[in-house]
Amino acid sequence: MRTSEPIAVATNDSPQSQAAVRWAARRAASAGLPLIILYVVDDRWVAEPIPWTGVLLEKAEELVETAAGRVRGTVPVEVTTKVLEGGIGDSLRKYSSKVSMLVVGSGAAHLGGSLTDRALHVAAAAKCPVAVVEMDDLEGRSGILVGVDGSEESTQAVAFAAAEADREGQEVTVLYAFTGPNRWVKAGLPSSSLAELVVEEEQIVLSETVAGLREDYPDLVVHKIMETRKEPAAALVGAAAAAQLLVLGSRGRGGFKRLLLGSTAHGVLTHLPCPTVITPIQRMKHKK
């Protein structure tokens, strides 16, 4: 998954944003890519230019330069800055077409979880992979976890995770979680034969999902996990507790096609276990 396009990170100088900038800088250095630090001046509420619009832009420039100053010299990466104007989510969505990855910080805690609605919007709508970062101290963590369900979107997530693991010298774990047999047995349907048949069929799906990895990455260590007791989001959050990175497709095979962010990705992002990358569906060619 080679690219020459830069990595962009959006910041508002919150602690989560500062963690995102540090993580993005290390990721860009590792991949040999330049880093762009973004700030969006949300001017949607301004009907026409006002005397202190220039002040807002000036403060924004100061903010991104301060953020850049914190990482320049700490990692070998070219750092530039840019200030965007407009709605934050929409501005970042549009800018995502120019970069190989967009990194955002998780929001402050709230009743629905630990991620702001704005970050969810970016993860759902971006045209490139989106990394959502809450903390960047990954000491003691290892491995890359990727969630799959047999969908084309999750196949793309596996390809992304394998490329990341190969470059970083990490092992990759492919997790497939579903709770079908348990529900059916509880509902009074035939137990052993049906459950075993379903699990066997889904084991085939899991094996097919990782089938090409050995050919593409002969030295990559790949682990496979099938979880039949927990809901997918809960299984992924638990399994990623000690991981360096979690990778998900933006929507799985069970999602409504009109939804850009599936329920599993939404559930994981609202209980963020580690830096998490959502791979997009916009660039994929779907079979008819």
Side-chain angles (χ1 to χ4, degrees):
M1 193 171 292
R2 301 294 181 183
T3 180
S4 60
E5 295 177 321
I7 291 174
V9 55
T11 184
N12 61 6
D13 213 34
S14 67
Q16 294 89 346
S17 288
Q18 291 183 27
V21 171
R22 292 190 297 267
W23 186 92
R26 291 196 296 270
R27 171 62 173 73
S30 173
L33 298 172
L35 176 68
I36 303 173
I37 300 179
L38 305 172
Y39 180 81
V40 183
V41 176
D42 191 348
D43 61 2
R44 291 172 300 168
W45 51 273
V46 179
E48 59 185 39
I50 54 179
W52 38 274
T53 299
V55 175
L56 295 178
L57 295 175
E58 182 180 331
K59 292 297 183 183
E61 293 285 359
E62 291 177 2
L63 185 148
V64 290
E65 282 301 324
T66 297
R70 294 192 185 109
V71 295
R72 285 191 178 118
T74 65
V75 289
V77 62
E78 176 189 342
V79 182
T80 57
T81 63
K82 188 172 184 62
V83 173
L84 306 176
E85 296 179 64
I88 296 174
D90 192 51
S91 294
L92 293 178
R93 177 188 63 80
K94 292 176 181 177
Y95 199 82
S96 68
S97 64
K98 303 177 181 180
V99 296
S100 61
M101 177 184 286
L102 179 60
V103 185
V104 296
S106 67
H110 61 90
L111 291 178
S114 62
L115 192 71
T116 63
D117 293 337
R118 185 170 293 149
L120 285 169
H121 176 196
V122 174
K127 295 177 173 62
C128 67
V130 173
V132 183
V133 178
E134 184 170 32
M135 49 83 175
D136 66 314
D137 182 4
L138 304 178
E139 187 175 354
R141 291 171 171 264
S142 63
I144 294 177
L145 177 69
V146 55
V148 302
D149 63 0
S151 66
E152 195 173 7
E153 287 81 2
S154 71
T155 299
Q156 184 184 23
V158 169
F160 182 94
E164 290 287 303
D166 183 67
R167 191 186 64 253
E168 297 292 333
Q170 295 286 329
E171 299 181 1
V172 64
T173 299
V174 183
L175 186 150
Y176 184 10
F178 71 102
T179 55
N182 296 324
R183 289 178 175 175
W184 296 335
V185 170
K186 288 180 180 179
L189 295 174
S191 57
S192 59
S193 59
L194 176 60
E196 290 173 5
L197 178 62
V198 172
V199 171
E200 288 176 4
E201 291 290 334
E202 300 303 337
Q203 285 281 10
I204 294 174
V205 172
L206 177 57
S207 296
E208 289 178 343
T209 301
V210 301
L213 294 185
R214 186 172 297 278
E215 180 178 347
D216 295 334
Y217 304 101
D219 298 325
L220 181 64
V221 177
V222 180
H223 305 281
K224 295 185 295 183
I225 298 177
M226 176 164 285
E227 171 60 65
T228 62
R229 296 182 179 276
K230 296 180 180 179
E231 294 287 347
L236 289 164
V237 169
Q244 283 197 351
L245 185 70
L246 171 60
V247 182
L248 296 172
S250 58
R251 187 186 66 213
R253 67 181 183 181
F256 293 103
K257 293 301 180 183
R258 69 178 182 274
L259 299 179
L260 293 177
L261 193 67
S263 60
T264 297
H266 188 283
V268 168
L269 290 180
T270 52
H271 299 84
L272 205 64
C274 65
T276 299
V277 172
I278 304 298
T279 57
I281 62 174
Q282 287 89 340
R283 292 180 177 175
M284 299 187 67
K285 295 180 180 179
H286 297 280
K287 298 178 181 179
K288 295 182 178 180

